[in-house]
Amino acid sequence: MSKKKSLYDRLNTSVADQSSQARDKFDNADLVVAMSRLKQERPEQTAIEAPQAAATAATQAQPAGEPSPDTSDAASDGYVVRSIPIANVKDHPRNARQVYDPARIDEMATSIARDGQRVPAVVMPDPAEPGSYLLIEGRYRKRALQSLGRGTLLASIVEPLPDLEAYRLSLLLNEERNDQTILDNALSWRAMLDDGTYRSQDHIAEHLNIKQGTVSKTLALLDLPAGVLSIIKTRPASFGIRIAQELRQLSKLVDEPALESVAEQVIEEKLSVRDLERLRDRKTQEPLTRERSRAYPLQWGTVRLGSIREFEDGRLKIDLSNAPESLRAEIISAVKKTLAEGPVSQSGLDVAAQAEEKKGGRSSTSS
């Protein structure tokens, strides 16, 4: 019996390894496919120029004193593969992914600790800093390696690309792996429209070969209240373009807390697109009632961090969804410190309590 179990375990492990290796081959092939599509959009570039550019870029980016990488195999596909110091890798500002799940970083770190980094990231030499690289795709792998204390990143080095082509390559790779979300697209497109990388919504549609209506519906997601967007950021893959469109319609019919509840139910898979359509139809027949509140934007220089919303019943709702993690920690620490200052804050609470008691006493007497 033990021999059969041992044989079964080895067979099971072998099948799992073969499945993992096959998946890795498909993942590594994604870059070949994406580079091919990118080259097709540049008819002026010959089939020989891209491999030569990749090999030249890898050699030029090689720090002095280190051996040159072997570019003979991968260069035929338009890139070369080598291990590079993570300290020399910066995130490319045009990465198509904008939202990251901390739980997935932990999962990837566990996988890398067990099996190593099987799929290379994608980088290009940094034109402004020889010896450094810009990360086009692979931020999850980079962060997972950093969490493990690893110092190198296995990466496919492609030729230096203009901003729009770097974004296009990152987008193609994410789409090949079904990792791109509508929120990622909305945040990227809004940033590139704001800084002039894209001239208009029509420019986005033309560059990405999609309908202009898809662009406008995607960007409309950012018109949702900040609290709803914060919920969407926790599970962006749950919100496709049709669900996002229904949420936009519902935002005109219900107050923000109700819309937040709907978004949470979408994440919990309690509401489908059809459910949202029925809810919208029902709300359309009801009189519009909104919870009264005032919102105050929170600015940090030129950056809008979020808002504070004050409700009539005394509740305060603070949204810091756009604040850096370090700043959020400082704000939370400051709030805790203020609440911990017993004598000052307690006297204020006592005065408020006495005033409330007197108010209640007058009401009882008059009745």
Side-chain angles (χ1 to χ4, degrees):
M1 183 69 179
S2 60
K3 288 185 178 180
K4 287 184 178 180
K5 185 177 185 303
S6 177
L7 178 61
Y8 175 79
D9 289 342
R10 290 200 303 271
L11 179 61
N12 198 32
T13 301
S14 176
V15 170
D17 288 343
Q18 289 178 15
S19 176
S20 179
Q21 290 170 8
R23 186 168 59 253
D24 295 339
K25 288 181 180 179
F26 278 112
D27 285 340
N28 284 314
D30 288 342
L31 179 57
V32 179
V33 173
M35 289 296 292
S36 176
R37 290 180 61 181
L38 202 63
K39 285 187 289 184
Q40 289 173 6
E41 297 170 4
R42 294 182 296 176
E44 72 281 359
Q45 185 178 45
T46 66
I48 299 176
E49 287 174 342
Q52 286 179 341
T56 302
T59 303
Q60 290 176 344
Q62 183 74 12
E66 290 189 15
S68 297
D70 179 9
T71 63
S72 57
D73 295 327
S76 61
D77 292 320
Y79 65 92
V80 295
V81 180
R82 57 173 289 215
S83 292
I84 55 180
I86 289 182
N88 293 353
V89 180
K90 297 182 293 186
D91 292 343
H92 197 295
R94 292 297 174 233
N95 193 292
R97 190 189 306 285
Q98 299 291 315
V99 185
Y100 294 87
D101 182 0
R104 186 172 174 188
I105 295 175
D106 294 339
E107 292 172 3
M108 188 164 289
T110 301
S111 174
I112 291 175
R114 183 183 65 243
D115 304 321
Q117 184 191 343
R118 292 176 179 268
V119 181
V122 180
V123 304
M124 59 172 261
D126 185 353
E129 191 174 338
S132 294
Y133 301 87
L134 296 175
L135 184 66
I136 294 175
E137 191 273 338
R139 290 190 184 183
Y140 272 122
R141 271 154 282 173
K142 177 187 172 185
R143 283 157 175 72
L145 287 164
Q146 289 174 319
S147 72
L148 293 171
R150 305 288 177 85
T152 59
L153 172 72
L154 183 65
S156 300
I157 305 174
V158 301
E159 60 182 306
L161 299 170
D163 277 1
L164 280 180
E165 289 195 5
Y167 169 72
R168 180 71 167 140
L169 178 58
S170 176
L171 181 63
L172 288 171
L173 289 169
N174 283 342
E175 289 178 341
E176 290 287 344
R177 297 165 187 172
N178 298 316
D179 284 344
Q180 192 70 7
T181 69
I182 179 178
L183 182 58
D184 285 314
N185 288 341
L187 292 170
S188 292
W189 298 349
R190 173 49 58 198
M192 286 191 278
L193 283 169
D194 289 345
D195 67 18
T197 302
Y198 278 131
R199 298 185 299 274
S200 63
Q201 292 188 19
D202 288 336
H203 186 198
I204 296 174
E206 180 183 359
H207 180 238
L208 302 180
N209 194 27
I210 58 178
K211 295 179 179 179
Q212 199 278 336
T214 300
V215 176
S216 62
K217 290 175 183 177
T218 299
L219 289 169
L221 177 67
L222 301 182
D223 294 333
L224 288 170
V228 178
L229 285 175
S230 297
I231 293 171
I232 294 176
K233 284 181 180 179
T234 65
R235 195 78 63 80
S238 298
F239 297 84
I241 194 163
R242 288 187 62 194
I243 286 182
Q245 193 173 6
E246 287 300 326
L247 288 177
R248 281 276 296 119
Q249 295 299 320
L250 276 172
S251 69
K252 305 172 185 177
L253 303 171
V254 301
D255 56 38
E256 185 174 339
L259 194 64
E260 290 176 3
S261 176
V262 170
E264 288 169 349
Q265 291 180 70
V266 169
I267 290 177
E268 295 167 1
E269 299 183 355
K270 294 180 179 178
L271 292 176
S272 65
V273 173
R274 185 57 188 151
D275 293 329
L276 294 177
E277 290 174 348
R278 285 194 287 264
L279 178 60
R280 172 169 53 83
D281 290 341
R282 188 166 66 250
K283 291 295 181 182
T284 302
Q285 307 303 321
E286 298 177 358
L288 179 62
T289 58
R290 292 184 180 271
E291 193 172 18
R292 297 184 65 181
S293 64
R294 289 180 294 176
Y296 308 94
L298 295 177
Q299 295 285 140
W300 191 34
T302 59
V303 179
R304 177 166 179 168
L305 300 179
S307 63
I308 294 181
R309 185 171 292 275
E310 180 183 9
F311 294 87
E312 283 190 330
D313 59 7
R315 285 179 296 134
L316 285 177
K317 183 173 182 179
I318 302 176
D319 171 50
L320 296 172
S321 55
N322 294 327
E325 184 176 349
S326 58
L327 181 59
R328 289 200 302 270
E330 288 182 19
I331 293 173
I332 292 172
S333 177
V335 171
K336 289 180 177 179
K337 181 180 178 182
T338 300
L339 295 176
E341 294 174 351
V344 176
S345 57
Q346 188 60 46
S347 62
L349 290 174
D350 290 341
V351 170
Q354 291 171 12
E356 190 66 27
E357 288 177 2
K358 290 180 180 179
K359 179 180 178 182
R362 287 196 299 270
S363 298
S364 299
T365 302
S366 60
S367 61

